[in-house]
Amino acid sequence: MPAVPTAPDLTTQPRPVYVIGAGPGGLAAAAALRARGVRAVVVEKSDTVGASWRAHYDRLRLHTTRRLSALPGLAVPRRFGRWVARADVVRYLERYAEFHELEVVTGVEVTRIERATDANGDGEGWTLYAGGGRVLAAGAVVVATGFNHTPAVPDWPGREGYPGRLLHAAEYRDPAPYAGLDVLVVGVGNTGAEIAVDLAEGGAARVRLAVRTAPHIVRRSSLGWPAQRSAILVRRLPVRLVDRLAALIAKATVPDLSAYGLPRPDTGLYSRVREGAIPVQDVGLISAVRRGAVEPVAAVAGFDGAEVELADGSRVAPDVVIAATGYRRALEGLVGHLGVLDERGRPRAHGARTAAGAPDLYFTGFTNPISGMLRELALDAERIAKAVARRRAREGGDGSARARRRVG
């Protein structure tokens, strides 16, 4: 077992870096900051670290390898296997916070961030407003509330009159409650595809998968070589070249499912990635579709009583509809007034970069990289910590250089 890292007493620093969110991104940023001698306080609205991972469906395993999913300063235990299970990710995050002796404050939700001003009206750090009337003074802020923050369900026409059960994929845990039922899963990203397979293997009477745009499907690994390593290697290659290479690999490794209602995509894999659509890693979908256990159908157009209208004009009458339709970042209330979000509600600057007019305000975990979310969170954490430490060194420790210049 690795030795617990030692660090100086940082509690005397007058204005810590506040990290919002105790998921992988927030914990990684706090650990990287602590390693550079910067006090970081993690503020989490739930009562524990890794809350979102605790709520994921039981079947979930990382689609990235154990070695490439570790956060700074602590390897993922070998006993967790190559593809780490959801419950083991939670155990790792708990151990990570303990190992790095992170300051984590749970049960406190930060609702708004404002630029702090001094008596002369100059900007100096940040003020965080949190539940219970708390007001926190921060030298810098790292927002790590997560890419998958608030479940988003389309406002389909007629959905309020549907008598069956309609739920978001965030509410799905295991197939037991759906045994013997007719289930329609809407959305063919990694979550929708895996839930559909889970239902089919777990006793659902019938499982349909509503597909708006045919996805790129890749093998999680081929001959022992993980798809994640290929994704890392091609990230900086021209998009058209990667599209061509991916098409050749797909033809060699993934069967054509057109006859089953799941045709090959008509746009390139990396072109889709640049638009925000990550390929579906096969963890049973191909086999389930080929044997008829999962039936691809057209996208949902609306509801009409107990029936779901599909985009091709057909209708189905499922007992349950599970919407694997994504999430919103939900950053508008927190930082929307600062001009740091784009038209889609995502941070304009990410990682060690900061938006104009918002120095010392960092965002991590708001992209969906092909190379693996946890890997990129680890890299972001190191970059952010380096940027904060450099800025503090220039400013003289706590970043209050402007105030000291006025005193001098």
Side-chain angles (χ1 to χ4, degrees):
M1 180 180 296
V4 175
T6 59
D9 181 10
L10 306 178
T11 59
T12 58
Q13 293 183 7
R15 292 189 305 168
V17 176
Y18 275 98
V19 180
I20 305 174
L27 298 178
L33 286 162
R34 178 178 171 82
R36 290 181 176 271
V38 178
R39 184 186 178 197
V41 178
V42 182
V43 183
E44 166 60 42
K45 71 177 181 179
S46 73
D47 59 0
T48 186
V49 302
S52 63
W53 280 93
R54 296 173 192 275
H56 286 316
Y57 51 94
D58 293 344
R59 179 192 178 98
L60 178 64
R61 288 181 176 269
L62 292 181
H63 293 165
T64 54
T65 66
R66 172 180 55 81
R67 289 185 177 181
L68 294 176
S69 300
L71 303 179
L74 185 66
V76 180
R78 290 176 59 88
R79 68 180 183 276
F80 289 173
R82 193 181 200 191
W83 312 106
V84 183
R86 177 200 62 82
D88 286 331
V89 173
V90 173
R91 294 186 183 97
Y92 172 70
L93 295 178
E94 291 173 338
R95 174 58 179 150
Y96 191 84
E98 295 172 356
F99 178 77
H100 288 290
E101 298 181 339
L102 302 181
E103 290 186 64
V104 181
V105 180
T106 59
V108 176
E109 181 178 8
V110 177
T111 57
R112 189 173 179 88
I113 300 173
E114 295 279 5
R115 193 80 170 106
T117 56
D118 56 24
N120 296 323
D122 296 323
E124 188 77 16
W126 297 93
T127 299
L128 281 59
Y129 296 91
R134 296 176 179 85
V135 179
L136 310 173
V141 179
V142 180
V143 180
T145 50
F147 188 84
N148 296 336
H149 186 274
T150 301
V153 177
D155 188 19
W156 288 303
R159 84 174 198 186
E160 297 301 326
Y162 175 61
R165 185 181 178 195
L166 170 61
L167 66 150
H168 190 272
E171 301 175 63
Y172 177 86
R173 294 305 299 265
D174 64 73
Y178 310 97
L181 299 181
D182 185 326
V183 185
L184 173 66
V185 180
V186 185
V188 69
N190 278 292
T191 297
E194 193 158 357
I195 287 176
V197 173
D198 198 31
L199 288 163
E201 295 177 353
R206 187 171 190 175
V207 181
R208 298 183 182 90
L209 182 60
V211 180
R212 181 174 300 279
T213 304
H216 286 274
I217 302 174
V218 299
R219 299 290 189 182
R220 188 167 60 178
S221 66
S222 298
L223 301 176
W225 179 262
Q228 181 187 11
R229 289 198 178 275
S230 296
I232 293 169
L233 291 174
V234 304
R235 284 192 71 188
R236 301 190 184 282
L237 294 179
V239 173
R240 290 183 179 179
L241 174 60
V242 179
D243 283 348
R244 289 197 293 270
L245 289 173
L248 293 173
I249 293 172
K251 288 183 179 179
T253 61
V254 177
D256 186 356
L257 301 175
S258 299
Y260 302 92
L262 202 58
R264 294 190 187 277
D266 54 10
T267 55
L269 182 148
Y270 205 33
S271 294
R272 293 279 298 279
V273 168
R274 297 295 288 270
E275 297 171 356
I278 299 299
V280 171
Q281 293 207 18
D282 178 45
V283 288
L285 179 65
I286 292 173
S287 174
V289 168
R290 294 180 79 176
R291 68 176 188 271
V294 173
E295 308 169 45
V297 296
V300 171
F303 289 75
D304 183 9
E307 294 186 323
V308 179
E309 301 173 336
L310 303 180
D312 61 0
S314 62
R315 292 173 174 241
V316 296
D319 301 307
V320 181
V321 176
I322 300 176
T325 46
Y327 296 78
R328 295 185 296 106
R329 274 23 84 195
L331 291 169
E332 290 80 5
L334 187 68
V335 296
H337 54 288
L338 298 174
V340 297
L341 304 180
D342 64 16
E343 63 281 356
R344 295 188 297 172
R346 300 185 183 186
R348 296 184 184 276
H350 199 268
R353 297 183 296 111
T354 57
D360 296 315
L361 178 60
Y362 303 91
F363 294 87
T364 183
F366 294 97
T367 61
N368 195 15
I370 191 176
S371 52
M373 176 68 80
L374 292 177
R375 177 181 181 273
E376 295 304 319
L377 288 174
L379 294 174
D380 266 355
E382 299 284 11
R383 294 170 185 142
I384 291 171
K386 184 176 182 180
V388 171
R390 281 182 174 177
R391 183 171 173 85
R392 290 203 165 198
R394 289 196 302 268
E395 296 291 335
D398 68 351
S400 302
R402 192 177 295 111
R404 287 190 294 275
R405 285 195 294 269
R406 287 196 296 271
V407 172

